[in-house]
Amino acid sequence: MFKAKNRLGLVFFPAFDWAISKTHPEREERLLYTQDQIFEEGIQDTEGIEFYNPVIASEKDVSRVHIVVPNVASQLSQSHLVAAGGAIRAYKAVMEKEVNKSFALVRPPGHHTHRVVYGGRGFCTVNVGAVALERIRQDYGDLKVAIVDTDAHHGDGTQDIYWNDKDTLFISLHQDGRSLYPGTGSIEEFGGPSAYGYNINIPLPPGTGEEGFLYILDNVVIPILNDFKPDIIINSAGQDNHYSDPLTNMNFTAQGYAILNERLNPDMAVLEGGYSIEGALPYINLGIILAMAGLDYSHVFEPDYDADKLKQDTAITNHIEKLSEAVYSLWRHKKELAEEKFKNKKEVTRERKIYFDTAGITEHQVQKFIICDDCSGLSVIDSSNDESAHILAITVPRKSCQYCIDKAYAMYDSSNQYPYTNVYLQDRCNDNYLSK
Protein backbone atom coordinates (compact mmCIF):
# COMPACT_ATOMS: atom_id res chain seq x y z
CA MET A 1 0.00 0.00 0.00
CA PHE A 2 1.20 3.51 -0.85
CA LYS A 3 1.59 6.02 1.97
CA ALA A 4 1.02 9.76 1.45
CA LYS A 5 3.89 12.03 2.52
CA ASN A 6 1.32 14.73 3.28
CA ARG A 7 -1.84 13.66 5.06
CA LEU A 8 -4.56 14.75 2.61
CA GLY A 9 -8.29 15.21 3.21
CA LEU A 10 -10.72 14.85 0.30
CA VAL A 11 -14.33 15.96 0.25
CA PHE A 12 -16.23 14.65 -2.74
CA PHE A 13 -19.64 16.09 -3.60
CA PRO A 14 -20.59 15.59 -7.26
CA ALA A 15 -24.20 16.85 -6.80
CA PHE A 16 -25.57 14.09 -9.00
CA ASP A 17 -29.12 15.39 -8.54
CA TRP A 18 -28.59 19.02 -9.64
CA ALA A 19 -27.67 20.81 -12.85
CA ILE A 20 -28.62 24.02 -14.64
CA SER A 21 -29.93 21.79 -17.45
CA LYS A 22 -29.30 18.28 -18.78
CA THR A 23 -27.07 19.52 -21.60
CA HIS A 24 -25.32 22.34 -19.71
CA PRO A 25 -21.50 22.06 -19.49
CA GLU A 26 -21.72 22.35 -15.68
CA ARG A 27 -23.76 19.19 -15.08
CA GLU A 28 -23.87 16.02 -13.00
CA GLU A 29 -21.35 14.05 -15.06
CA ARG A 30 -18.53 16.51 -14.37
CA LEU A 31 -17.21 14.46 -11.47
CA LEU A 32 -18.48 11.05 -12.51
CA TYR A 33 -15.31 10.10 -14.39
CA THR A 34 -13.11 11.62 -11.69
CA GLN A 35 -14.82 9.36 -9.18
CA ASP A 36 -14.09 6.31 -11.37
CA GLN A 37 -10.46 7.38 -11.84
CA ILE A 38 -9.93 7.87 -8.10
CA PHE A 39 -11.30 4.41 -7.35
CA GLU A 40 -9.34 2.82 -10.22
CA GLU A 41 -6.10 4.28 -8.86
CA GLY A 42 -6.92 3.03 -5.37
CA ILE A 43 -6.73 6.49 -3.84
CA GLN A 44 -9.28 5.49 -1.20
CA ASP A 45 -6.90 2.74 -0.01
CA THR A 46 -3.84 5.01 0.24
CA GLU A 47 -2.57 5.43 3.77
CA GLY A 48 -2.73 9.08 4.78
CA ILE A 49 -5.57 10.04 2.45
CA GLU A 50 -8.90 10.49 4.22
CA PHE A 51 -12.36 11.03 2.74
CA TYR A 52 -14.78 13.32 4.59
CA ASN A 53 -18.48 13.87 4.11
CA PRO A 54 -19.54 17.46 3.43
CA VAL A 55 -21.56 19.44 5.93
CA ILE A 56 -24.35 21.81 4.90
CA ALA A 57 -23.44 25.49 4.94
CA SER A 58 -25.89 27.60 6.92
CA GLU A 59 -27.61 30.78 5.75
CA LYS A 60 -25.36 32.63 8.18
CA ASP A 61 -22.26 31.18 6.48
CA VAL A 62 -23.52 32.53 3.16
CA SER A 63 -24.57 35.94 4.55
CA ARG A 64 -21.12 36.40 6.05
CA VAL A 65 -19.89 36.79 2.45
CA HIS A 66 -22.86 37.66 0.25
CA ILE A 67 -25.80 40.01 0.08
CA VAL A 68 -28.34 37.62 -1.45
CA VAL A 69 -31.39 39.38 -2.82
CA PRO A 70 -33.99 39.05 -1.48
CA ASN A 71 -32.62 36.25 0.75
CA VAL A 72 -30.53 33.07 0.78
CA ALA A 73 -33.49 30.66 0.78
CA SER A 74 -34.92 32.11 -2.43
CA GLN A 75 -31.72 31.83 -4.50
CA LEU A 76 -29.68 28.84 -3.28
CA SER A 77 -30.52 25.16 -3.66
CA GLN A 78 -29.54 22.46 -1.20
CA SER A 79 -26.76 21.46 -3.63
CA HIS A 80 -25.24 24.95 -3.42
CA LEU A 81 -25.26 24.77 0.38
CA VAL A 82 -23.69 21.30 0.40
CA ALA A 83 -20.99 22.39 -2.07
CA ALA A 84 -20.11 25.32 0.21
CA GLY A 85 -20.34 23.00 3.21
CA GLY A 86 -17.96 20.59 1.48
CA ALA A 87 -15.36 23.31 1.24
CA ILE A 88 -15.97 24.26 4.87
CA ARG A 89 -15.39 20.64 5.94
CA ALA A 90 -12.22 20.43 3.85
CA TYR A 91 -10.82 23.68 5.26
CA LYS A 92 -11.70 22.71 8.83
CA ALA A 93 -9.89 19.38 8.44
CA VAL A 94 -6.68 21.37 7.93
CA MET A 95 -7.40 23.90 10.67
CA GLU A 96 -8.12 21.08 13.15
CA LYS A 97 -4.86 19.40 12.07
CA GLU A 98 -6.71 16.21 11.10
CA VAL A 99 -4.72 16.42 7.86
CA ASN A 100 -1.93 18.57 6.40
CA LYS A 101 -3.83 19.54 3.25
CA SER A 102 -7.28 19.20 1.77
CA PHE A 103 -9.06 19.28 -1.58
CA ALA A 104 -12.80 19.94 -1.91
CA LEU A 105 -13.97 18.25 -5.11
CA VAL A 106 -17.39 19.83 -5.13
CA ARG A 107 -19.80 21.34 -7.61
CA PRO A 108 -21.41 23.65 -8.63
CA PRO A 109 -18.43 26.04 -8.69
CA GLY A 110 -18.37 29.51 -7.13
CA HIS A 111 -15.64 31.94 -8.18
CA HIS A 112 -17.86 34.10 -10.44
CA THR A 113 -20.21 34.95 -7.56
CA HIS A 114 -19.78 38.57 -6.43
CA ARG A 115 -20.79 40.01 -3.07
CA VAL A 116 -24.29 40.90 -4.34
CA VAL A 117 -26.28 37.91 -5.63
CA TYR A 118 -29.39 38.23 -7.77
CA GLY A 119 -29.06 34.70 -9.18
CA GLY A 120 -26.58 32.54 -11.07
CA ARG A 121 -23.82 33.85 -13.32
CA GLY A 122 -20.95 31.97 -14.94
CA PHE A 123 -22.44 28.70 -13.57
CA CYS A 124 -21.99 30.04 -10.00
CA THR A 125 -24.54 31.18 -7.39
CA VAL A 126 -22.50 31.11 -4.17
CA ASN A 127 -18.76 31.70 -3.81
CA VAL A 128 -17.95 28.31 -2.31
CA GLY A 129 -14.31 29.11 -1.49
CA ALA A 130 -15.03 32.50 0.08
CA VAL A 131 -17.84 31.10 2.24
CA ALA A 132 -15.48 28.42 3.53
CA LEU A 133 -12.64 30.88 4.12
CA GLU A 134 -14.80 33.32 6.08
CA ARG A 135 -16.17 30.44 8.15
CA ILE A 136 -12.69 29.36 9.24
CA ARG A 137 -11.74 33.00 9.91
CA GLN A 138 -14.82 33.20 12.13
CA ASP A 139 -13.96 29.96 13.94
CA TYR A 140 -10.16 30.23 14.14
CA GLY A 141 -9.40 33.96 14.12
CA ASP A 142 -7.78 36.25 11.61
CA LEU A 143 -5.68 34.62 8.95
CA LYS A 144 -3.48 36.11 6.27
CA VAL A 145 -4.55 34.20 3.17
CA ALA A 146 -3.42 33.96 -0.44
CA ILE A 147 -5.93 32.66 -2.99
CA VAL A 148 -4.39 31.55 -6.28
CA ASP A 149 -7.09 31.06 -8.90
CA THR A 150 -5.97 28.73 -11.71
CA ASP A 151 -9.24 28.63 -13.62
CA ALA A 152 -9.17 29.72 -17.29
CA HIS A 153 -11.89 32.27 -16.53
CA HIS A 154 -11.03 35.31 -14.45
CA GLY A 155 -12.19 34.85 -10.85
CA ASP A 156 -14.17 38.07 -10.90
CA GLY A 157 -16.44 37.12 -8.01
CA THR A 158 -13.58 36.36 -5.63
CA GLN A 159 -11.86 39.54 -6.80
CA ASP A 160 -15.00 41.53 -5.97
CA ILE A 161 -15.37 40.06 -2.48
CA TYR A 162 -11.74 40.67 -1.49
CA TRP A 163 -11.19 43.87 -3.53
CA ASN A 164 -10.50 45.99 -0.44
CA ASP A 165 -9.09 43.33 1.92
CA LYS A 166 -5.35 43.61 2.46
CA ASP A 167 -5.25 40.32 4.42
CA THR A 168 -6.46 38.38 1.39
CA LEU A 169 -4.08 38.38 -1.54
CA PHE A 170 -5.92 37.30 -4.68
CA ILE A 171 -3.93 36.14 -7.73
CA SER A 172 -5.80 35.03 -10.85
CA LEU A 173 -4.09 33.27 -13.78
CA HIS A 174 -6.57 33.17 -16.63
CA GLN A 175 -7.13 33.38 -20.34
CA ASP A 176 -7.10 37.05 -21.36
CA GLY A 177 -10.54 38.54 -20.73
CA ARG A 178 -10.60 40.08 -24.19
CA SER A 179 -11.08 36.55 -25.53
CA LEU A 180 -13.15 34.82 -22.83
CA TYR A 181 -15.98 35.27 -20.29
CA PRO A 182 -16.34 37.27 -18.05
CA GLY A 183 -14.24 39.81 -19.97
CA THR A 184 -12.48 41.20 -16.89
CA GLY A 185 -9.11 40.49 -15.26
CA SER A 186 -6.68 43.04 -16.67
CA ILE A 187 -3.51 43.86 -14.73
CA GLU A 188 -4.93 47.35 -14.08
CA GLU A 189 -7.58 45.81 -11.77
CA PHE A 190 -5.29 46.10 -8.77
CA GLY A 191 -7.50 46.43 -5.66
CA GLY A 192 -9.43 48.98 -3.59
CA PRO A 193 -8.08 51.96 -1.64
CA SER A 194 -7.17 49.92 1.45
CA ALA A 195 -5.71 46.98 -0.48
CA TYR A 196 -4.25 48.42 -3.65
CA GLY A 197 -1.81 45.91 -5.07
CA TYR A 198 -3.34 42.91 -3.30
CA ASN A 199 -5.50 41.95 -6.29
CA ILE A 200 -3.27 40.59 -9.02
CA ASN A 201 -4.45 39.55 -12.45
CA ILE A 202 -2.28 37.68 -14.92
CA PRO A 203 -4.18 37.55 -18.24
CA LEU A 204 -2.57 34.90 -20.44
CA PRO A 205 -2.88 34.70 -24.22
CA PRO A 206 -4.94 31.89 -25.79
CA GLY A 207 -2.65 28.95 -26.51
CA THR A 208 -0.62 29.25 -23.30
CA GLY A 209 0.77 25.86 -22.35
CA GLU A 210 2.75 24.19 -19.59
CA GLU A 211 5.84 26.31 -20.27
CA GLY A 212 3.90 29.57 -19.85
CA PHE A 213 1.96 28.59 -16.74
CA LEU A 214 5.04 27.30 -14.94
CA TYR A 215 7.07 30.37 -15.97
CA ILE A 216 4.43 32.64 -14.44
CA LEU A 217 4.30 30.48 -11.33
CA ASP A 218 8.07 30.52 -10.81
CA ASN A 219 8.72 34.15 -11.77
CA VAL A 220 5.65 35.97 -10.48
CA VAL A 221 3.34 33.96 -8.24
CA ILE A 222 5.86 32.30 -5.94
CA PRO A 223 8.03 35.46 -5.51
CA ILE A 224 4.89 37.43 -4.57
CA LEU A 225 3.80 34.72 -2.14
CA ASN A 226 7.28 34.76 -0.58
CA ASP A 227 6.92 38.54 -0.07
CA PHE A 228 3.35 38.31 1.25
CA LYS A 229 4.02 35.40 3.66
CA PRO A 230 0.46 34.05 3.99
CA ASP A 231 -0.69 31.81 6.84
CA ILE A 232 -2.61 29.77 4.29
CA ILE A 233 -2.47 29.27 0.52
CA ILE A 234 -5.67 28.23 -1.24
CA ASN A 235 -5.83 27.01 -4.83
CA SER A 236 -9.09 28.00 -6.47
CA ALA A 237 -8.63 25.08 -8.80
CA GLY A 238 -10.27 25.49 -12.18
CA GLN A 239 -9.36 22.74 -14.64
CA ASP A 240 -10.49 24.45 -17.85
CA ASN A 241 -7.04 25.63 -18.94
CA HIS A 242 -6.73 22.09 -20.32
CA TYR A 243 -6.11 21.68 -24.05
CA SER A 244 -9.28 19.62 -24.50
CA ASP A 245 -11.67 21.95 -22.68
CA PRO A 246 -14.60 22.84 -24.96
CA LEU A 247 -15.13 26.35 -23.55
CA THR A 248 -11.60 27.77 -23.57
CA ASN A 249 -8.53 28.09 -25.81
CA MET A 250 -5.59 27.10 -23.61
CA ASN A 251 -3.03 24.29 -23.84
CA PHE A 252 -2.36 23.22 -20.26
CA THR A 253 -2.06 19.53 -19.27
CA ALA A 254 -2.80 17.21 -16.37
CA GLN A 255 0.93 16.81 -15.77
CA GLY A 256 1.30 20.61 -15.76
CA TYR A 257 -1.50 21.04 -13.21
CA ALA A 258 0.19 18.48 -10.95
CA ILE A 259 3.58 20.22 -11.22
CA LEU A 260 1.91 23.57 -10.53
CA ASN A 261 0.31 22.22 -7.36
CA GLU A 262 3.52 20.61 -6.14
CA ARG A 263 5.41 23.91 -6.53
CA LEU A 264 2.56 26.14 -5.29
CA ASN A 265 2.17 23.83 -2.27
CA PRO A 266 -1.38 24.95 -1.33
CA ASP A 267 -2.81 24.10 2.07
CA MET A 268 -6.28 23.77 0.59
CA ALA A 269 -7.83 23.51 -2.85
CA VAL A 270 -11.40 23.86 -4.02
CA LEU A 271 -12.65 22.82 -7.44
CA GLU A 272 -13.93 25.53 -9.75
CA GLY A 273 -14.51 25.02 -13.50
CA GLY A 274 -13.39 22.42 -16.03
CA TYR A 275 -15.73 21.00 -18.68
CA SER A 276 -13.75 18.35 -20.52
CA ILE A 277 -15.55 15.71 -18.53
CA GLU A 278 -13.84 12.57 -19.84
CA GLY A 279 -10.66 13.89 -21.46
CA ALA A 280 -9.32 16.16 -18.74
CA LEU A 281 -11.03 16.23 -15.34
CA PRO A 282 -10.21 12.65 -14.24
CA TYR A 283 -6.50 13.11 -15.03
CA ILE A 284 -6.12 16.66 -13.70
CA ASN A 285 -7.92 15.90 -10.45
CA LEU A 286 -5.87 12.71 -9.98
CA GLY A 287 -2.64 14.62 -10.66
CA ILE A 288 -3.55 17.33 -8.13
CA ILE A 289 -4.51 14.75 -5.49
CA LEU A 290 -1.20 12.90 -5.91
CA ALA A 291 0.82 16.15 -5.93
CA MET A 292 -0.89 17.47 -2.78
CA ALA A 293 -0.35 14.10 -1.06
CA GLY A 294 3.33 14.15 -1.99
CA LEU A 295 2.97 11.02 -4.13
CA ASP A 296 4.42 10.24 -7.55
CA TYR A 297 2.30 11.70 -10.36
CA SER A 298 4.80 11.20 -13.21
CA HIS A 299 2.57 8.52 -14.81
CA VAL A 300 -0.51 10.77 -15.05
CA PHE A 301 -1.05 11.60 -18.71
CA GLU A 302 -4.13 11.91 -20.86
CA PRO A 303 -4.62 9.07 -23.41
CA ASP A 304 -4.25 11.57 -26.29
CA TYR A 305 -1.33 13.54 -24.79
CA ASP A 306 1.18 14.66 -27.45
CA ALA A 307 4.00 16.94 -26.27
CA ASP A 308 4.89 18.07 -29.81
CA LYS A 309 1.34 19.20 -30.59
CA LEU A 310 1.14 21.09 -27.28
CA LYS A 311 4.44 22.94 -27.62
CA GLN A 312 3.97 26.62 -26.84
CA ASP A 313 4.42 29.19 -29.62
CA THR A 314 7.52 31.40 -29.30
CA ALA A 315 5.45 34.57 -29.59
CA ILE A 316 3.39 33.48 -26.55
CA THR A 317 6.58 32.75 -24.61
CA ASN A 318 7.94 36.22 -25.37
CA HIS A 319 4.65 37.87 -24.39
CA ILE A 320 4.51 35.99 -21.09
CA GLU A 321 8.07 37.00 -20.18
CA LYS A 322 7.20 40.68 -20.67
CA LEU A 323 3.89 40.26 -18.84
CA SER A 324 5.72 38.69 -15.88
CA GLU A 325 8.06 41.68 -15.60
CA ALA A 326 5.13 44.11 -15.75
CA VAL A 327 3.05 42.33 -13.09
CA TYR A 328 5.94 41.85 -10.68
CA SER A 329 7.01 45.48 -11.12
CA LEU A 330 3.48 46.62 -10.19
CA TRP A 331 3.58 44.42 -7.08
CA ARG A 332 6.94 45.84 -5.97
CA HIS A 333 5.71 49.44 -6.42
CA LYS A 334 2.19 48.97 -5.06
CA LYS A 335 2.70 51.25 -2.05
CA GLU A 336 3.87 54.25 -4.10
CA LEU A 337 1.16 53.62 -6.70
CA ALA A 338 -1.52 53.54 -3.98
CA GLU A 339 -0.28 56.80 -2.43
CA GLU A 340 -0.41 58.49 -5.82
CA LYS A 341 -3.83 57.10 -6.77
CA PHE A 342 -5.69 57.75 -3.49
CA LYS A 343 -3.85 60.81 -2.12
CA ASN A 344 -6.18 63.12 -0.10
CA LYS A 345 -9.27 61.09 -1.05
CA LYS A 346 -12.00 60.46 1.54
CA GLU A 347 -14.11 58.23 -0.71
CA VAL A 348 -13.56 56.08 -3.78
CA THR A 349 -16.46 55.11 -6.05
CA ARG A 350 -16.65 52.44 -8.72
CA GLU A 351 -19.61 51.89 -11.01
CA ARG A 352 -20.28 48.64 -12.85
CA LYS A 353 -22.79 46.74 -14.91
CA ILE A 354 -22.94 43.03 -13.99
CA TYR A 355 -24.86 40.44 -15.99
CA PHE A 356 -26.30 37.36 -14.33
CA ASP A 357 -26.39 35.13 -17.40
CA THR A 358 -28.17 32.16 -15.82
CA ALA A 359 -30.83 34.32 -14.23
CA GLY A 360 -31.03 36.73 -17.19
CA ILE A 361 -30.71 39.77 -14.90
CA THR A 362 -28.60 42.89 -15.42
CA GLU A 363 -27.37 44.76 -12.35
CA HIS A 364 -26.26 48.37 -12.18
CA GLN A 365 -24.03 48.81 -9.13
CA VAL A 366 -22.37 51.83 -7.54
CA GLN A 367 -19.98 50.90 -4.73
CA LYS A 368 -18.52 53.53 -2.46
CA PHE A 369 -15.49 52.85 -0.25
CA ILE A 370 -15.36 55.28 2.67
CA ILE A 371 -11.68 55.65 3.56
CA CYS A 372 -10.67 55.58 7.25
CA ASP A 373 -7.25 56.32 8.73
CA ASP A 374 -7.74 53.68 11.45
CA CYS A 375 -9.14 50.73 9.51
CA SER A 376 -10.02 49.62 5.99
CA GLY A 377 -13.25 51.69 6.04
CA LEU A 378 -16.80 50.90 4.99
CA SER A 379 -18.25 49.62 1.73
CA VAL A 380 -21.64 50.98 0.69
CA ILE A 381 -23.36 49.45 -2.36
CA ASP A 382 -26.32 50.99 -4.14
CA SER A 383 -27.53 48.35 -6.56
CA SER A 384 -30.53 48.08 -8.84
CA ASN A 385 -31.52 45.57 -11.51
CA ASP A 386 -33.82 45.34 -14.49
CA GLU A 387 -36.37 43.39 -12.45
CA SER A 388 -37.13 46.39 -10.21
CA ALA A 389 -34.96 45.45 -7.23
CA HIS A 390 -33.09 48.37 -5.67
CA ILE A 391 -30.96 47.67 -2.62
CA LEU A 392 -28.61 49.44 -0.24
CA ALA A 393 -25.91 47.17 1.27
CA ILE A 394 -23.51 48.39 3.97
CA THR A 395 -20.53 46.17 4.79
CA VAL A 396 -18.40 46.52 7.93
CA PRO A 397 -15.11 44.65 7.21
CA ARG A 398 -13.20 42.58 9.73
CA LYS A 399 -11.03 44.65 12.11
CA SER A 400 -13.06 47.86 11.59
CA CYS A 401 -12.67 50.65 14.14
CA GLN A 402 -15.55 51.48 16.50
CA TYR A 403 -16.19 54.78 14.70
CA CYS A 404 -16.84 52.94 11.41
CA ILE A 405 -18.99 50.29 13.13
CA ASP A 406 -21.17 52.97 14.75
CA LYS A 407 -21.36 54.88 11.47
CA ALA A 408 -22.54 51.76 9.61
CA TYR A 409 -25.32 51.04 12.12
CA ALA A 410 -26.39 54.70 12.01
CA MET A 411 -26.58 54.52 8.21
CA TYR A 412 -28.63 51.34 8.39
CA ASP A 413 -30.99 52.72 11.05
CA SER A 414 -31.55 55.96 9.18
CA SER A 415 -32.10 54.35 5.80
CA ASN A 416 -35.78 54.47 5.10
CA GLN A 417 -36.63 51.72 2.70
CA TYR A 418 -37.88 54.04 -0.05
CA PRO A 419 -36.51 54.07 -2.73
CA TYR A 420 -34.94 50.75 -1.76
CA THR A 421 -36.71 47.41 -1.94
CA ASN A 422 -34.26 46.02 0.63
CA VAL A 423 -31.59 47.42 2.96
CA TYR A 424 -28.80 45.19 4.35
CA LEU A 425 -26.09 45.52 6.98
CA GLN A 426 -23.25 42.98 6.89
CA ASP A 427 -21.15 43.41 10.04
CA ARG A 428 -18.07 41.17 9.91
CA CYS A 429 -16.67 42.51 13.19
CA ASN A 430 -19.61 41.22 15.20
CA ASP A 431 -20.65 38.47 12.76
CA ASN A 432 -24.05 40.12 12.46
CA TYR A 433 -26.34 40.40 9.44
CA LEU A 434 -29.44 42.59 9.31
CA SER A 435 -31.97 43.21 6.57
CA LYS A 436 -35.18 45.13 6.21
Side-chain angles (χ1 to χ4, degrees):
M1 179 187 291
F2 292 111
K3 182 177 180 180
K5 291 178 184 171
N6 305 315
R7 288 178 298 128
L8 176 67
L10 298 177
V11 176
F12 195 79
F13 177 64
F16 285 144
D17 61 346
W18 185 91
I20 294 170
S21 73
K22 287 184 178 178
T23 56
H24 196 279
E26 205 301 288
R27 62 183 186 271
E28 298 96 321
E29 293 94 329
R30 274 190 69 214
L31 289 178
L32 186 62
Y33 292 93
T34 291
Q35 180 176 267
D36 291 344
Q37 191 74 29
I38 287 173
F39 288 148
E40 189 175 311
E41 290 284 330
I43 294 296
Q44 73 279 13
D45 298 322
T46 302
E47 186 179 346
I49 295 183
E50 301 289 339
F51 282 77
Y52 296 95
N53 290 323
V55 297
I56 301 175
S58 66
E59 290 192 14
K60 185 159 188 165
D61 289 324
V62 176
S63 299
R64 204 173 276 130
V65 173
H66 294 297
I67 307 292
V68 184
V69 184
N71 53 52
V72 172
S74 66
Q75 297 287 0
L76 270 64
S77 69
Q78 194 79 347
S79 291
H80 292 109
L81 295 174
V82 178
I88 289 172
R89 183 64 187 95
Y91 290 14
K92 285 176 77 79
V94 175
M95 299 306 296
E96 293 289 340
K97 303 188 188 306
E98 298 168 39
V99 290
N100 304 116
K101 297 173 179 293
S102 65
F103 186 9
L105 290 141
V106 296
R107 60 167 290 273
H111 74 149
H112 291 306
T113 314
H114 290 227
R115 185 170 299 278
V116 174
V117 178
Y118 285 116
R121 60 182 304 277
F123 316 164
C124 307
T125 309
V126 58
N127 198 307
V128 170
V131 167
L133 171 55
E134 294 314 308
R135 172 63 181 272
I136 63 169
R137 274 179 164 151
Q138 188 61 37
D139 289 350
Y140 300 96
D142 279 326
L143 294 163
K144 197 174 174 185
V145 176
I147 302 171
V148 180
D149 188 319
T150 55
D151 193 282
H153 302 84
H154 174 229
D156 59 336
T158 309
Q159 167 174 292
D160 177 64
I161 291 164
Y162 293 110
W163 183 251
N164 204 36
D165 183 350
K166 200 174 180 176
D167 289 336
T168 309
L169 171 68
F170 178 63
I171 304 175
S172 180
L173 290 72
H174 50 265
Q175 183 175 325
D176 194 311
R178 290 170 293 188
S179 61
L180 189 68
Y181 178 91
T184 52
S186 71
I187 63 173
E188 288 80 17
E189 296 164 36
F190 209 39
S194 295
Y196 198 64
Y198 293 85
N199 187 89
I200 295 173
N201 286 314
I202 308 175
L204 299 167
T208 299
E210 236 176 75
E211 181 184 349
F213 278 96
L214 298 180
Y215 185 91
I216 286 286
L217 182 74
D218 292 341
N219 292 278
V220 183
V221 177
I222 289 177
I224 289 175
L225 292 175
N226 288 339
D227 291 344
F228 183 66
K229 297 181 173 53
D231 299 314
I232 287 173
I233 297 173
I234 297 171
N235 180 10
S236 193
Q239 326 294 36
D240 46 6
N241 280 299
H242 192 263
Y243 62 83
S244 67
D245 195 277
L247 303 188
T248 66
N249 312 98
M250 304 300 261
N251 259 343
F252 209 22
T253 63
Q255 188 67 199
Y257 269 106
I259 295 169
L260 183 149
N261 273 272
E262 182 182 28
R263 294 185 190 174
L264 180 64
N265 195 22
D267 300 281
M268 304 150 182
V270 59
L271 182 65
E272 297 289 355
Y275 308 99
S276 177
I277 293 172
E278 291 185 63
L281 282 170
Y283 307 101
I284 298 173
N285 288 327
L286 175 62
I288 292 175
I289 289 168
L290 293 173
M292 291 185 76
L295 292 168
D296 177 29
Y297 54 80
S298 62
H299 62 288
V300 179
F301 287 98
E302 305 82 346
D304 63 348
Y305 175 82
D306 185 330
D308 291 335
K309 285 185 180 176
L310 296 171
K311 190 170 174 55
Q312 186 171 281
D313 188 88
T314 304
I316 293 175
T317 301
N318 294 338
H319 175 86
I320 287 174
E321 288 176 1
K322 290 177 183 172
L323 177 68
S324 297
E325 289 177 16
V327 173
Y328 193 57
S329 176
L330 284 172
W331 164 257
R332 286 190 293 111
H333 296 98
K334 60 186 180 301
K335 187 175 179 183
E336 304 94 285
L337 293 168
E339 288 173 355
E340 183 182 343
K341 188 175 180 70
F342 302 114
K343 187 177 182 182
N344 298 325
K345 290 191 176 179
K346 300 295 183 186
E347 295 179 357
V348 173
T349 300
R350 63 173 180 166
E351 187 170 355
R352 295 176 296 160
K353 186 180 282 187
I354 301 165
Y355 183 56
F356 292 76
D357 52 284
T358 305
I361 293 172
T362 300
E363 176 193 11
H364 175 242
Q365 184 184 114
V366 178
Q367 184 173 22
K368 183 166 63 179
F369 295 101
I370 302 173
I371 296 173
C372 176
D373 292 336
D374 298 320
C375 67
S376 58
L378 301 176
S379 158
V380 181
I381 293 175
D382 187 310
S383 164
S384 56
N385 72 26
D386 55 5
E387 291 198 345
S388 303
H390 187 183
I391 70 158
L392 180 71
I394 306 154
T395 297
V396 181
R398 292 173 295 103
K399 301 193 283 190
S400 288
C401 67
Q402 192 59 49
Y403 175 80
C404 284
I405 296 171
D406 294 342
K407 185 174 181 176
Y409 277 85
M411 289 173 69
Y412 178 78
D413 290 340
S414 64
S415 295
N416 296 321
Q417 283 203 265
Y418 182 80
Y420 302 111
T421 53
N422 304 82
V423 180
Y424 301 92
L425 174 65
Q426 187 180 50
D427 175 4
R428 287 292 288 109
C429 279
N430 298 294
D431 199 27
N432 192 25
Y433 185 81
L434 301 175
S435 65
K436 58 183 180 182

